[in-house]
Amino acid sequence: KNEVEQSPQNLTAQEGEFITINCSYSVGISALHWLQQHPGGGIVSLFMLSSGKKKHGRLIATINIQEKHSSLHITASHPRDSAVYICAVDNTDKLIFGTGTRLQVFP
Amino acid sequence: DTEVTQTPKHLVMGMTNKKSLKCEQHMGHRAMYWYKQKAKKPPELMFVYSYEKLSINESVPSRFSPECPNSSLLNLHLHALQPEDSALYLCASIGRGVRNTEAFFGQGTRLTVV
């Protein structure tokens, strides 16, 4: 079993839909990162969370430390949101990555 | 400057070649990482440098040799690679201060071994 599990693995949405991606982890962490990777490779950090909730534009990330669970929400999704979203946990000296969620938003 | 810069962006090398990948950051981060990513898979950790010392080697074959000449630079020396080593190689850095644990990633080097 992976130390960091994401669901769903693939997600298709119509433009404007509300999207939720979930992440569960089984190790102790100092922080959790939500990352975005577009085709071509570059990874962009969206959020770093150690507790509570953060919002940036149409993106909202929450974390429940007791339940070892985090969610990434996208409101009013847009085709440019199409990418792979990766949850990664900061475990001592290393980032442990989830398997990623491939999101496609259609107009 | 909140960037991690990797060079080259693309690299094609033969199995007998020696080449190096470079990674540079000027954010004062003391933790730098090399990851390998195959298509449609999450990045896999290869090496971690903490305060310019190798702190984690995830059982990477010796044909990959990391080097951290100073706190801003990270190299990955490649020698006698195999075609299955073809992948996207990503460098990352993370600040380890109380308020600064955001992760920054380079654009990656897409390596093809022929």
Side-chain angles (χ1 to χ4, degrees), chain A residues 33 37 48 90 93 95 98, chain B residues 33 35 37 42 58 96 101 103:
Chain A
H33 302 262
Q37 187 172 31
M48 188 279 295
D90 205 336
D93 272 349
L95 278 181
Chain B
Y33 303 72
Y35 287 88
Q37 187 178 27
E58 292 284 299
R96 288 291 178 198
T101 57

Side-chain angles (χ1 to χ4, degrees), chain A residues 30-31 33 35 37 40-46 48 86 90 92-100 102, chain B residues 33 35 37 40-43 45 48 50 55-56 58 88 90 94 96 101-107 110:
Chain A
S30 55
H33 302 262
L35 309 167
Q37 187 172 31
I43 293 179
V44 174
S45 176
L46 299 174
M48 188 279 295
I86 304 171
D90 205 336
T92 319
D93 272 349
K94 47 184 174 176
L95 278 181
I96 304 173
F97 286 77
T99 49
R102 189 171 299 273
Chain B
Y33 303 72
Y35 287 88
Q37 187 178 27
K40 299 191 177 181
K41 298 286 188 185
L45 182 64
V48 180
S50 181
S55 61
I56 295 177
E58 292 284 299
L88 181 70
L90 290 160
I94 299 180
R96 288 291 178 198
T101 57
E102 189 172 354
F104 291 86
F105 288 82
Q107 289 295 306
R110 191 162 297 281

Side-chain angles (χ1 to χ4, degrees), chain B residues 5-84:
Chain B
T5 304
Q6 284 187 246
T7 56
K9 288 188 169 49
H10 300 274
L11 178 62
V12 179
M13 62 184 290
M15 289 189 283
T16 58
N17 291 158
K18 284 185 183 181
K19 296 286 184 185
S20 295
L21 309 185
K22 296 187 183 304
C23 174
E24 191 168 358
Q25 58 88 14
H26 296 286
M27 294 174 279
H29 291 172
R30 294 311 194 192
M32 294 183 74
Y33 303 72
W34 279 116
Y35 287 88
K36 173 183 176 180
Q37 187 178 27
K38 301 286 269 185
K40 299 191 177 181
K41 298 286 188 185
E44 297 173 10
L45 182 64
M46 300 175 72
F47 302 104
V48 180
Y49 271 83
S50 181
Y51 290 88
E52 300 165 48
K53 290 193 179 346
L54 183 64
S55 61
I56 295 177
N57 176 342
E58 292 284 299
S59 303
V60 179
S62 60
R63 57 187 184 268
F64 295 92
S65 175
E67 180 197 18
C68 190
N70 60 57
S71 59
S72 299
L73 291 174
L74 188 64
N75 297 323
L76 186 62
H77 302 298
L78 314 172
H79 175 53
L81 295 194
Q82 303 296 310
E84 60 264 28

Side-chain angles (χ1 to χ4, degrees), chain A residues 3-4 9 19 22 31 37-38 42-43 45-46 49-50 62-64 76-77 79 84 88 91 94-95 103 107:
Chain A
E3 293 165 308
V4 182
Q9 287 190 344
I19 287 160
N22 295 301
Q37 187 172 31
H38 280 283
I43 293 179
S45 176
L46 299 174
L49 294 162
S50 52
T62 64
I63 187 168
N64 185 317
S77 59
V84 176
N91 174 253
K94 47 184 174 176
L95 278 181
L103 171 65

